[in-house]
Amino acid sequence: MESFRMQQHASTAPAPRPRPRWWTELPLLALVYGAYSAGRLVARGDVSTAVDHGLRLLHLEKTLRINFEHPLNRLLTAHPSIGIPADFAYASLHYLLTPAVLVWLFRRRHAAYRRARTWLMTSTLLGLIGFTMMPTCPPRLLHAAHGFVDTMAQYSSYGWWGTEASAPRGMGGMTNQYAAMPSLHVGWALWCGILLWRHGRHPLVRAAGIAYPLVTTFVVMGTANHYFLDAVAGAAVMGAGALLAGPVMRVSDRVRDRLGALIGARFPRVAETTKSPIVSAGCKTSAGERIPGQRTASADSTDAAASADADAPAGRAPRADTRAPAGAGAAGDDTPAAAR
């Protein structure tokens, strides 16, 4: 009875989710990123409202004495040896390292990939909500009286970008320059850093996990693309995304299961292909049931009798069963001669 209960529990246990495949992941990620990019363009908002939001943030930072972007911006403006690499980092690293970490998880840490991917997508969509609800003018677009210099414009001759953020020259209209709150540069860098620290095995990889978010925070403030509070909001968005990743995956699993059941009900032939790949489908042969091609004891005895009947008319002695157990011959020698 106990074994039957264990077998019944095993049969009702949920099947493990299959490992994600690259041909399904790429379209999904492309769809989310496309929706995010299109949403940024739609959520431009009023310029005057965005400027008001930026000035309020700056005033709050000055009141709290946390306007760290002022001294950092002066440092990058005065020293091209620091400002130019910072501009290159701002314009490229989040496009390179974020997908690289995602691919690394997919290939080497596939057990953690699905949750990390869900965490990233959820946080990105939360950031899009922030851009829509609070368009914010970055420090570099404020009036010069506020003391900021656009280092991207100052060093634009050294890179591919123009005077409109990090977009390539002539493509500034394809980006939303007022999507500063929250800073997803910082949020994505924090996502990369946590995963590198948690799943990296080499000390250099874990050190990079610590350095990358700090360097990104320095860069976004020094280039006057974000306020310090933008960076704080980017970290908060990633924290919220981490908390919501589990519920989002559960909802996704339920939707997928219901869609699978609906498809199975409407297209039973398609559903049959999703059955267990085991030939017996978990069934066992009962006692006395013979698998086709298998010889049983009754079949062997029938064959032996037929062989004896065939030998009798020809005058030959019946053939001994070569599969008789050891010691059978000795027992036959002890029988009376008449019986032999």
Side-chain angles (χ1 to χ4, degrees), residues 177-318:
Q177 299 190 77
Y178 298 99
M181 169 64 76
S183 172
L184 287 185
H185 273 76
V186 174
W188 290 344
L190 183 62
W191 176 86
C192 293
I194 291 175
L195 293 175
L196 290 175
W197 172 264
R198 180 180 298 176
H199 301 290
R201 296 175 181 175
H202 197 279
L204 291 179
V205 175
R206 305 189 74 184
I210 298 175
Y212 181 46
L214 297 177
V215 170
T216 301
T217 304
F218 168 84
V219 165
V220 299
M221 290 193 295
T223 57
N225 278 285
H226 289 282
Y227 305 94
F228 174 70
L229 290 179
D230 292 345
V232 174
V237 162
M238 297 310 294
L243 294 176
L244 292 174
V248 169
M249 287 194 298
R250 287 193 290 271
V251 171
S252 175
D253 290 341
R254 290 174 184 173
V255 171
R256 182 167 56 182
D257 291 341
R258 290 182 181 179
L259 287 177
L262 181 61
I263 293 174
R266 293 187 174 228
F267 306 99
R269 292 184 179 180
V270 177
E272 289 177 0
T273 61
T274 62
K275 290 183 178 180
S276 172
I278 304 175
V279 175
S280 62
C283 300
K284 297 181 179 180
T285 56
S286 60
E289 184 179 357
R290 186 165 65 89
I291 300 175
Q294 179 184 9
R295 299 185 63 85
T296 60
S298 60
D300 292 340
S301 60
T302 303
D303 292 345
S307 176
D309 293 340
D311 290 340
R316 294 194 300 266

Side-chain angles (χ1 to χ4, degrees), residues 40-214:
R40 276 175 57 107
L41 294 177
V42 173
R44 290 180 182 271
D46 185 17
V47 174
S48 61
T49 302
V51 172
D52 290 340
H53 289 160
L55 291 176
R56 289 176 185 175
L57 287 178
L58 183 60
H59 177 71
L60 178 60
E61 288 185 355
K62 287 182 176 180
T63 302
L64 300 175
R65 297 186 178 183
I66 56 173
N67 56 322
F68 306 120
E69 57 270 14
H70 265 121
L72 294 179
N73 183 242
R74 288 194 292 267
L75 176 66
L76 270 61
T77 302
H79 298 86
S81 59
I82 303 176
I84 294 174
D87 286 347
F88 273 99
Y90 181 83
S92 61
L93 285 186
H94 68 293
Y95 291 118
L96 299 176
L97 292 185
T98 307
V101 172
L102 204 59
V103 172
W104 171 67
L105 289 173
F106 183 82
R107 292 177 58 86
R108 300 295 181 89
R109 305 289 185 271
H110 58 85
Y113 168 79
R114 183 167 179 254
R115 186 178 187 86
R117 177 254 286 159
T118 306
W119 173 18
L120 179 65
M121 292 193 303
T122 304
S123 301
T124 300
L125 294 178
L126 290 177
L128 181 59
I129 295 174
F131 301 152
T132 306
M133 298 181 63
M134 189 176 175
T136 304
C137 178
R140 63 184 180 82
L141 294 182
L142 294 176
H143 193 274
H146 295 286
F148 292 103
V149 176
D150 186 355
T151 63
M152 302 293 291
Q154 180 182 3
Y155 303 122
S156 61
S157 60
Y158 293 91
W160 59 85
W161 57 87
T163 60
E164 298 176 311
S166 59
R169 292 184 183 91
M171 301 180 65
M174 299 181 64
T175 183
N176 182 3
Q177 299 190 77
Y178 298 99
M181 169 64 76
S183 172
L184 287 185
H185 273 76
V186 174
W188 290 344
L190 183 62
W191 176 86
C192 293
I194 291 175
L195 293 175
L196 290 175
W197 172 264
R198 180 180 298 176
H199 301 290
R201 296 175 181 175
H202 197 279
L204 291 179
V205 175
R206 305 189 74 184
I210 298 175
Y212 181 46
L214 297 177

